[in-house]
Amino acid sequence: MKTVYIGTNWKMHKTIAEGVEYCPKLNKIAKDLDERIQLFIIPPYTHLTTLRKETGERLLLGAQNMHWEDEGPYTGEISPAVLKEIGLDLVELGHSERRQYYNENDLDLNKKVHAAFRHGLLPLLCIGESMQQKELGISEESLAIQLKTCLKGVSPDQAQKLWIAYEPVWAIGAGGIEAEAEYVYKMHDSIRSVLVRLFGEAGNDIPVLYGGSVNRGNALGYLKGKNVNGLFIGRSAWDLTKFEPILNDVEDFLKNN
Ligand code: PGA
């Protein structure tokens, strides 16, 4: 079995002090875990410099967003050059909350993806269909449009440093509906075929993570999908007493597969 990527976006949760308490504990868990599990955390910007000292190869560190320009008149925005200066490993782009509340669109995300590559930051591109698109039976089309637009102009070489998170909008957060594992497999297979169409053989190696109400009860079910390469977890990872059992389950799963 290949590497399994498991990480968490903290969204607007945790103070810096809480992050400083959480990170060394997770780092310690990470160091003892099966090496095939690659962990990552994505805290708010304000925490990153401090938490860089508490993270490393076994526990990668990312930002939740960034601008596409290196500098300019963009009050309140964060430059990719600065994220690089902090020494981040990755940057999350296009989470559905950013699309929903801050009007992020696929064309802007395409500029951000290219900015990430320019600075050697690994983009973790989030895509997902809305409930309306699912009900209309156009989930796969919607995912394909998001991939083709956000990844326009990306070369197969660059694609080797790209991760995708598939998160159905309707499955995310409190009030989200847990997706059926079979549905998740189908969407991941469809995403894989778009990636192969876009990048040829390199498309087979792009990690595609699943996110949206992942918890201890459903995590392994999702991971059984042949094109599910990891999990992107919100609420169930913010408390280590919930997260550690999930990681242990994944470790057992890897031993037996
Ligand atoms: P959730 O969040 O696991 O709390 O649903 C997932 C996400 O928004 O990435």
Side-chain angles (χ1 to χ4, degrees), residues 41 61 106 114 178 185 196 201:
I41 55 165
L61 184 66
D106 293 334
H114 284 286
E178 280 186 40
Y185 304 159
V196 170
E201 200 40 51

Side-chain angles (χ1 to χ4, degrees), residues 173-187:
I177 304 162
E178 280 186 40
E180 302 279 337
E182 289 299 330
Y183 181 82
V184 170
Y185 304 159
K186 189 167 170 225
M187 294 305 125

Side-chain angles (χ1 to χ4, degrees), residues 241-255:
T241 62
K242 282 196 201 158
F243 195 24
E244 191 173 8
I246 297 177
L247 295 172
N248 291 335
D249 287 353
V250 174
E251 188 164 51
D252 289 344
F253 172 75
L254 286 175
K255 275 192 199 119

Side-chain angles (χ1 to χ4, degrees), residues 9 11 95 97 167 171-174 211-214 232-236 238:
N9 161 22
K11 310 190 180 184
H95 187 278
E97 289 154 9
E167 303 196 287
I172 288 176
S213 296
V214 173
F232 195 24
I233 311 178
R235 289 157 295 152
S236 296
W238 299 336

Side-chain angles (χ1 to χ4, degrees), residues 185 219-228 253 257:
Y185 304 159
L220 292 189
Y222 294 141
L223 269 187
K224 285 184 186 142
K226 88 170 179 334
N227 282 310
V228 181
F253 172 75
N257 282 278

Side-chain angles (χ1 to χ4, degrees), residues 36-53:
R36 287 170 293 179
I37 302 176
Q38 177 64 65
L39 289 183
F40 62 95
I41 55 165
I42 308 191
Y45 290 129
T46 40
H47 302 37
L48 295 172
T49 306
T50 307
L51 297 185
R52 182 68 288 187
K53 301 181 193 94

